[in-house]
Amino acid sequence: MEKKQLKITQIKSTIGYRKQTQQVIESLGLGKIRKTVVLPDNPAVRGMIAKIPHLLHVEEVS
């Protein structure tokens, strides 16, 4: 059984947003526009994505 993964790309800057937004971006392993990371699809990662969906582009990868 394959574990699902999420390909997450930052598409917008965090300038002008709350400090908590920057902390979520950093905990996802992002920090620069167009940087992409692949993370496991789990409730913790989904929760972080739900906090800042306007800054991210998310794709499911098998």
Side-chain angles (χ1 to χ4, degrees):
M1 183 165 82
E2 285 189 36
K3 295 264 185 178
K4 285 189 180 177
Q5 293 189 321
L6 298 173
K7 182 177 174 184
I8 306 166
T9 305
Q10 183 176 346
I11 57 170
K12 195 172 176 191
S13 172
T14 58
I15 294 174
Y17 288 96
R18 299 181 303 170
K19 188 174 183 179
Q20 182 182 5
T21 302
Q22 179 64 35
Q23 291 171 340
V24 172
I25 286 285
E26 288 175 7
S27 62
L28 285 170
L30 300 169
K32 293 189 176 195
I33 298 172
R34 290 187 292 281
K35 183 171 181 183
T36 301
V37 294
V38 177
L39 298 173
D41 186 0
N42 60 41
V45 172
R46 288 280 184 173
M48 288 188 272
I49 292 169
K51 289 267 187 189
I52 53 169
H54 53 285
L55 301 179
L56 305 173
H57 176 73
V58 181
E59 300 174 48
E60 288 190 11
V61 180
S62 56

